Amino acid sequence: MASAIDEGDMKTNPGRFFEDYRLGEVIAHAVPRTLSGGERALYHALYPARHALYSSDEFARASGLAAAPMDDLIAFHTVFGKTVPDISLNAVANLGYAEGRWLRPVWPGDTLMSKSEIIGLKENSNGKSGVVWLRTRGLNQRGEAVLDYVRWVMVLKRDISRPAPEPVVPTLAASVAAADLVVPAGLDFSRYDRGLAGEPHLWEDYAVGEKIDHVDGVTVEESEHMLATRLWQNTAKVHFDATNRADGRRLIYGGHVISLARALSFNGLANAQMIVALNAGAHANPCFAGDTVRAWSEVLDKAETAAPGVGALRLRLVAVRHGAAEFALRGDDGKYLPEVLLDLDYWALMPCGA
Amino acid sequence: MASAIDEGDMKTNPGRFFEDYRLGEVIAHAVPRTLSGGERALYHALYPARHALYSSDEFARASGLAAAPMDDLIAFHTVFGKTVPDISLNAVANLGYAEGRWLRPVWPGDTLMSKSEIIGLKENSNGKSGVVWLRTRGLNQRGEAVLDYVRWVMVLKRDISRPAPEPVVPTLAASVAAADLVVPAGLDFSRYDRGLAGEPHLWEDYAVGEKIDHVDGVTVEESEHMLATRLWQNTAKVHFDATNRADGRRLIYGGHVISLARALSFNGLANAQMIVALNAGAHANPCFAGDTVRAWSEVLDKAETAAPGVGALRLRLVAVRHGAAEFALRGDDGKYLPEVLLDLDYWALMPCGA
Amino acid sequence: MASAIDEGDMKTNPGRFFEDYRLGEVIAHAVPRTLSGGERALYHALYPARHALYSSDEFARASGLAAAPMDDLIAFHTVFGKTVPDISLNAVANLGYAEGRWLRPVWPGDTLMSKSEIIGLKENSNGKSGVVWLRTRGLNQRGEAVLDYVRWVMVLKRDISRPAPEPVVPTLAASVAAADLVVPAGLDFSRYDRGLAGEPHLWEDYAVGEKIDHVDGVTVEESEHMLATRLWQNTAKVHFDATNRADGRRLIYGGHVISLARALSFNGLANAQMIVALNAGAHANPCFAGDTVRAWSEVLDKAETAAPGVGALRLRLVAVRHGAAEFALRGDDGKYLPEVLLDLDYWALMPCGA
């Protein structure tokens, strides 16, 4: 087996550098993972997650599913985590997400693996690093796709003298078209119980442009973000090793902030039950233990779906550090304010009235 | 759907205030929850829980049950947690518990929900707050009651000018009568293995008035009480948000102290296998991260049951902070000493000799 | 039931002292434990565990097993934890391990218990303590042995005036002979997928004497080692009670360091899938929260097995504190360097080429 990571006697994984990627290459990421009720319980202990469809088998059955699926972001983190040893070890920045779609629920007992295709490469003008675009697909034990998304990262070159590859920048959709959203087979919100779900607001109660302050905050602890990040078998050193940065701080996995903010958004968006698309995302500033994370959302778009009683809401989810002004996002210079941690653009499924 | 929490454009939950409760009103609390082996594993990681009936399917089968049920306090915390968004957001004090009974074991795979009936209302003389009494019932997916208890809380008024309701104070039993204890169907301790359970002491070895110092202590960490509290989907801000109090400290959920103390009581009460009634309880002083929690118990009463080999012990369980004098409880003024965190009065089932 | 721990009115467990052990005595340790996917999920959240055979049911099936077993060290910690109330409460040092063998996989749903036979006793010359050798066996619910190992500990005497027993020191193998390794029934690595496992290196790629620096580090948190230690129902006070030592620090369970180091060794030993023997082990220095733990390994021996495609590698696994020199182990005086936390000698199963 020829491999970019097999260098003579070196047994440990040095990670790939920019020049190790080839356009069109498909990487089957290592270590498939079987998920169970244990991972779900941990997810619900690590985040204030309360969306009823993921909390209750009975609620899920009343919504046309066989049981409660694993939380949408459990699938995302598991699929993402597998890519880290091949993509992120020498990455200096996680630049963006696009065209993400949840294609099929993940059930307790399913085994996930990830494959990525390199779909773009562009060396930076400084010659020291480059941007790698990849489309990652999560697959279950039957080889069915459960999740698909594009991510691009800036990766260091090992050897600055290596010539730059032909630059290829993929054309990516600004957001997933409503027509391309995949509603899980059988999902039916026509008998939706808003009392059990926790809030009365339906899809038609949300207006494009509306902003919601989710009020609650969580102060982040070192052990919590590490438990979470390890659970997804994400091995990036910066999250675990306090000696890795000069300031002795561990950088928190961006996905931890995504899950925190999504869970906090229950308060005002309790009926935004399932994430089905990831349109875009930026980890605007790093998050550290001790930060108190809050969240707000903005309704960006609305769409109907063919499933009974199911509408789709496109939402901006913003995570901020305590002390941020209400609905803080960007400064006059157009840059993210320093208190902003996350700016995420996603589609969720929500009940709509008969 | 008319709801006290639906105020025009407000999407988030402001919580209910004293004047939002009506006598006789029944509140079906949101977000049912399916429990699995994952929640049990977390419970056993968060607390030094070792009672054999909840630890081993084999031990439970030898005791006449189909398998190990979920720990008694998992059921309690899950049912309690659901009430928080409707009861506790504007509560200033959790005043007491009474007439609590475990009515049926909870098994992995069960889905719990909670309903509460308002059974008492009394405005305080200052006109700024009032006491709300509620009877909360936990139900499984078949609608069977698994737990039932009365709790009363002091809740702020939103509008001080509102007139006080007719005061109604329910009459509550000082303790659950032994005859009203519910022994799980099939429970049989006649072939009880004390060696496997961890201690030789049987029901007849305990005398009313006897006090037991449980010796061990646990120093509490922020992440642990937050993991626990989130696991029960308890969303009270004070437990998670370090910016919520002027002193920057997070108040620990009283139920965390209950579970800690109960688990510590294994050392001396290893055979007090199942909690079946909650007679009374007071969270005497707040607990914070860094506190080292210890526990002692006093035997308050004893009773026989109709089940083979099963006796009942009424116990006072007191949690104290490190540094408390032995069997510390109240000062000369009759008030709880500042080192006392919890004073809980419960019935447990225990093997008795043939 | 006569018991060393039943002393008149004393209800709590004072632990056994040196003079409480009798040669040939068999102790059935208390509190059997049913393990589920919940314990596995927690293990994978607490340690950066990624060995594919324990991570994926599909990978395990492709290797001839019915599903992914519980991680080898979950079995070890569970069996070990049960011995603590009978062995470790008055122990002052855990001196060594020998002749450890994993005899059968543990599956989710299995219930484990532990039995120990006292196989050696030798009072120290100071007359204040003595060494106890015990062979501990882990058993599943069918009474089948899953694990067997010898451990010896230094235990305090209760009464210094008691006469010393006849000294008996068992003869222990320096390491488990390759011929005595037990390969799980059905294990077959002949169709092993190195890409999914995470590294290309096979058994034949490792040479005796080769050393591997596993590169990664994890900074340890109080709540993490306590969650882990409680999960195994290990009740030793020093791990939980910050008031127990004059310096206010909690001593970390040695097994936590074993699991951390083993998980870190994935990076360079991803294909060392299963631990099947524990030859020796020393907890060289105590580990505390705040330490950043790193690991390195040395190949000590190699052996073939009768199973298809399965070789065995004997490895020294050393855990060190951040700041240790590369491959740090002993000083010129032959003693462990102060940065060394663990020196473990084990056999692992690994795929070998056709």
Side-chain angles (χ1 to χ4, degrees):
Chain A
M1 181 177 126
S3 161
I5 62 168
D6 185 6
E7 307 189 315
D9 280 350
M10 172 64 107
K11 290 291 198 315
T12 52
N13 178 10
R16 286 163 174 258
F17 291 85
F18 180 66
E19 60 265 44
D20 296 326
Y21 298 96
R22 297 184 315 278
L23 197 73
E25 180 184 5
V26 174
I27 304 173
H29 304 292
V31 194
R33 168 68 154 207
T34 304
L35 296 166
S36 79
E39 280 76 11
R40 175 150 56 194
L42 265 162
Y43 191 83
H44 289 235
L46 288 162
Y47 307 107
R50 290 190 290 148
H51 288 93
L53 202 67
Y54 296 120
S55 178
S56 164
D57 282 345
E58 302 304 315
F59 194 95
R61 283 182 196 123
S63 303
L65 303 183
M70 303 295 280
D71 296 69
D72 38 37
L73 291 173
I74 291 180
F76 178 75
H77 296 315
T78 302
V79 170
F80 182 102
K82 313 237 141 298
T83 69
V84 167
D86 294 315
I87 305 297
S88 309
L89 294 196
N90 302 303
V92 285
N94 193 13
L95 298 170
Y97 303 99
E99 299 186 0
R101 291 192 306 161
W102 277 253
L103 300 169
R104 196 178 298 267
V106 175
W107 308 99
D110 278 0
T111 300
L112 298 190
M113 63 160 293
S114 305
K115 285 189 181 177
S116 297
E117 181 181 354
I118 307 304
I119 60 168
L121 288 171
K122 184 169 184 294
E123 187 164 306
N124 288 326
S125 55
N126 64 14
K128 294 181 182 167
S129 58
V131 178
V132 179
W133 282 261
L134 59 150
R135 184 179 298 275
T136 296
R137 179 162 283 211
L139 302 163
N140 67 18
Q141 67 277 13
R142 289 179 298 277
E144 298 163 339
V146 300
L147 176 65
D148 193 312
Y149 66 93
V150 172
R151 174 164 79 108
W152 54 107
V153 289
M154 191 185 301
V155 181
L156 293 176
K157 286 180 75 175
R158 184 193 291 106
D159 176 1
I160 296 176
S161 68
R162 285 282 199 98
E166 181 78 16
V168 174
V169 176
T171 305
L172 297 170
S175 81
V176 174
D180 292 337
L181 300 178
V182 178
V183 178
L187 191 72
D188 178 348
F189 283 156
S190 57
R191 292 171 303 148
Y192 192 89
D193 185 329
R194 292 178 284 173
L196 285 184
E199 288 184 351
H201 326 300
L202 296 177
W203 178 83
E204 52 266 41
D205 298 324
Y206 291 86
V208 173
E210 180 177 354
K211 291 181 181 178
I212 302 157
D213 179 344
H214 300 300
V215 180
D216 304 317
V218 172
T219 308
V220 178
E221 296 294 315
E222 296 284 14
S223 57
E224 291 181 0
H225 75 81
M226 293 200 297
L227 286 170
T229 308
R230 273 191 295 254
L231 191 58
W232 321 125
Q233 300 181 311
N234 176 333
T235 59
K237 291 173 188 43
V238 290
H239 307 318
F240 301 106
D241 183 345
T243 70
N244 196 67
R245 287 167 55 104
D247 64 5
R249 299 204 290 180
R250 279 161 276 185
L251 194 65
I252 291 179
Y253 163 48
H256 189 64
V257 179
I258 294 177
S259 279
L260 260 183
R262 159 73 173 155
L264 288 168
S265 78
F266 180 93
N267 195 357
L269 284 166
N271 293 324
Q273 290 284 355
M274 305 189 93
I275 300 181
V276 287
L278 176 59
N279 300 307
H283 299 289
N285 285 288
C287 181
F288 297 103
D291 285 346
T292 297
V293 176
R294 302 183 185 287
W296 61 270
S297 293
E298 179 181 1
V299 180
L300 298 178
D301 200 358
K302 301 180 65 170
E304 296 180 349
T305 82
V310 181
L313 217 54
R314 184 177 160 203
L315 293 155
R316 156 174 281 158
L317 173 62
V318 178
V320 298
R321 210 175 275 134
H322 177 71
E326 195 176 32
F327 304 125
L329 189 63
R330 294 178 187 274
D332 294 339
D333 57 3
K335 293 186 180 164
Y336 285 115
L337 292 167
E339 298 82 13
V340 174
L341 303 171
L342 172 76
D343 181 11
L344 198 80
D345 179 340
Y346 71 99
W347 281 102
L349 300 182
M350 199 171 216
C352 55
Chain B
M1 179 175 125
S3 161
I5 63 171
D6 185 6
E7 307 188 315
D9 280 351
M10 171 66 105
K11 291 290 198 318
T12 53
N13 179 10
R16 285 162 175 257
F17 290 85
F18 179 67
E19 60 265 44
D20 296 327
Y21 298 96
R22 297 185 313 279
L23 197 72
E25 180 184 6
V26 174
I27 305 172
H29 304 293
V31 192
R33 168 68 154 207
T34 304
L35 296 167
S36 79
E39 280 76 10
R40 175 152 55 194
L42 265 162
Y43 191 83
H44 290 234
L46 288 161
Y47 306 108
R50 291 190 288 148
H51 287 93
L53 202 67
Y54 297 119
S55 178
S56 164
D57 283 344
E58 302 303 316
F59 194 95
R61 283 182 197 123
S63 304
L65 303 182
M70 301 296 280
D71 297 68
D72 37 38
L73 292 172
I74 291 180
F76 177 75
H77 296 315
T78 303
V79 169
F80 182 101
K82 313 237 143 297
T83 69
V84 167
D86 294 316
I87 305 297
S88 310
L89 293 195
N90 302 304
V92 285
N94 193 14
L95 298 170
Y97 304 99
E99 299 186 1
R101 291 192 306 160
W102 278 254
L103 301 169
R104 196 178 297 266
V106 175
W107 309 101
D110 278 0
T111 301
L112 299 190
M113 65 161 292
S114 305
K115 284 189 182 175
S116 297
E117 180 180 353
I118 307 303
I119 60 168
L121 289 171
K122 182 168 186 296
E123 187 164 306
N124 288 325
S125 55
N126 64 14
K128 296 180 181 168
S129 57
V131 178
V132 179
W133 282 261
L134 59 150
R135 183 179 298 277
T136 297
R137 180 161 281 212
L139 302 162
N140 68 18
Q141 67 277 12
R142 288 179 298 277
E144 299 162 339
V146 299
L147 175 66
D148 194 312
Y149 67 93
V150 172
R151 174 163 79 107
W152 54 108
V153 290
M154 191 186 300
V155 181
L156 293 175
K157 287 181 75 174
R158 184 193 290 106
D159 175 1
I160 295 176
S161 68
R162 284 281 199 98
E166 182 77 17
V168 174
V169 176
T171 305
L172 297 170
S175 80
V176 174
D180 292 336
L181 299 178
V182 178
V183 179
L187 191 72
D188 178 349
F189 283 156
S190 56
R191 292 172 301 148
Y192 191 90
D193 186 329
R194 291 178 283 171
L196 283 183
E199 289 183 353
H201 327 298
L202 297 177
W203 178 83
E204 52 267 41
D205 298 325
Y206 291 86
V208 173
E210 180 178 355
K211 292 181 180 179
I212 302 158
D213 179 345
H214 299 300
V215 180
D216 303 316
V218 171
T219 308
V220 177
E221 297 293 316
E222 296 284 13
S223 57
E224 290 181 1
H225 76 82
M226 293 201 297
L227 286 169
T229 308
R230 272 191 296 254
L231 191 58
W232 320 126
Q233 299 182 311
N234 176 332
T235 59
K237 291 173 187 44
V238 289
H239 307 317
F240 301 106
D241 183 344
T243 70
N244 196 68
R245 287 167 55 103
D247 64 6
R249 299 205 291 180
R250 280 161 274 185
L251 195 64
I252 290 178
Y253 163 49
H256 189 64
V257 179
I258 294 176
S259 279
L260 259 183
R262 159 74 173 156
L264 288 169
S265 78
F266 180 93
N267 194 357
L269 285 167
N271 293 324
Q273 288 286 353
M274 305 190 93
I275 300 180
V276 287
L278 177 58
N279 299 308
H283 299 290
N285 284 288
C287 181
F288 297 102
D291 285 346
T292 297
V293 176
R294 301 184 187 285
W296 63 270
S297 293
E298 179 182 1
V299 180
L300 297 178
D301 200 358
K302 300 179 67 171
E304 296 181 347
T305 83
V310 180
L313 217 54
R314 184 178 160 203
L315 294 155
R316 156 174 281 159
L317 173 62
V318 178
V320 298
R321 210 175 274 133
H322 177 70
E326 195 175 32
F327 304 125
L329 190 64
R330 293 178 187 275
D332 294 339
D333 57 0
K335 292 186 180 167
Y336 286 115
L337 292 167
E339 299 81 13
V340 174
L341 303 171
L342 172 75
D343 181 11
L344 199 79
D345 179 341
Y346 70 101
W347 281 103
L349 300 181
M350 198 172 216
C352 54
Chain C
M1 180 176 126
S3 161
I5 62 170
D6 186 6
E7 307 188 315
D9 280 354
M10 170 67 104
K11 289 292 198 314
T12 53
N13 179 10
R16 286 163 175 256
F17 290 85
F18 180 66
E19 60 266 44
D20 296 326
Y21 297 97
R22 296 185 314 278
L23 197 72
E25 180 184 5
V26 174
I27 305 172
H29 304 294
V31 193
R33 169 68 154 208
T34 304
L35 296 166
S36 80
E39 279 77 10
R40 175 151 55 194
L42 265 162
Y43 191 84
H44 289 236
L46 288 162
Y47 307 107
R50 290 190 289 147
H51 287 94
L53 202 65
Y54 297 119
S55 177
S56 164
D57 283 344
E58 302 303 315
F59 193 94
R61 282 181 197 125
S63 305
L65 303 183
M70 303 295 280
D71 297 70
D72 37 38
L73 292 173
I74 291 179
F76 177 75
H77 296 315
T78 302
V79 170
F80 182 102
K82 313 236 143 296
T83 70
V84 166
D86 294 314
I87 306 297
S88 310
L89 292 196
N90 301 303
V92 284
N94 193 13
L95 298 170
Y97 304 99
E99 300 187 359
R101 290 192 307 160
W102 278 253
L103 300 169
R104 198 177 296 267
V106 175
W107 308 101
D110 278 359
T111 300
L112 298 190
M113 64 160 294
S114 306
K115 285 190 182 174
S116 298
E117 181 182 353
I118 307 303
I119 60 168
L121 288 172
K122 184 170 184 294
E123 186 164 307
N124 289 325
S125 55
N126 64 13
K128 296 181 182 167
S129 58
V131 178
V132 179
W133 282 261
L134 58 150
R135 184 179 296 277
T136 297
R137 181 162 281 211
L139 302 162
N140 67 18
Q141 68 277 14
R142 288 179 298 276
E144 299 163 338
V146 299
L147 175 66
D148 194 313
Y149 67 94
V150 172
R151 174 163 79 109
W152 55 108
V153 289
M154 192 186 299
V155 181
L156 292 175
K157 286 180 76 174
R158 184 193 290 107
D159 175 1
I160 295 175
S161 68
R162 284 282 198 97
E166 182 77 15
V168 174
V169 176
T171 305
L172 296 170
S175 82
V176 175
D180 292 336
L181 300 178
V182 178
V183 179
L187 191 72
D188 177 349
F189 283 157
S190 57
R191 291 172 303 147
Y192 191 91
D193 186 329
R194 291 179 284 173
L196 284 183
E199 289 183 353
H201 326 298
L202 298 177
W203 178 84
E204 53 266 40
D205 298 326
Y206 291 85
V208 173
E210 181 177 355
K211 292 182 180 178
I212 302 157
D213 179 344
H214 299 300
V215 180
D216 303 317
V218 172
T219 308
V220 177
E221 296 293 316
E222 295 286 12
S223 58
E224 291 181 0
H225 76 81
M226 294 200 296
L227 286 169
T229 308
R230 272 191 295 253
L231 191 58
W232 320 126
Q233 299 181 311
N234 176 332
T235 59
K237 292 173 185 45
V238 290
H239 307 319
F240 301 106
D241 182 345
T243 70
N244 196 67
R245 288 167 54 103
D247 65 4
R249 299 205 290 181
R250 279 162 276 186
L251 194 64
I252 291 178
Y253 163 48
H256 189 64
V257 179
I258 294 176
S259 279
L260 259 183
R262 159 73 173 156
L264 288 169
S265 77
F266 180 93
N267 195 358
L269 284 166
N271 293 324
Q273 290 285 353
M274 302 190 95
I275 299 180
V276 287
L278 177 58
N279 300 307
H283 299 289
N285 285 287
C287 180
F288 297 102
D291 285 345
T292 297
V293 176
R294 301 183 187 286
W296 62 269
S297 293
E298 179 182 359
V299 181
L300 297 179
D301 200 358
K302 301 181 64 172
E304 296 181 347
T305 82
V310 179
L313 218 54
R314 184 177 159 205
L315 293 155
R316 156 175 281 159
L317 173 62
V318 178
V320 298
R321 210 174 273 130
H322 177 71
E326 196 177 29
F327 304 125
L329 189 64
R330 293 179 188 273
D332 294 338
D333 57 1
K335 293 187 179 164
Y336 285 116
L337 292 167
E339 298 82 13
V340 174
L341 303 172
L342 172 76
D343 181 12
L344 199 79
D345 179 341
Y346 71 100
W347 281 103
L349 300 181
M350 199 173 215
C352 53

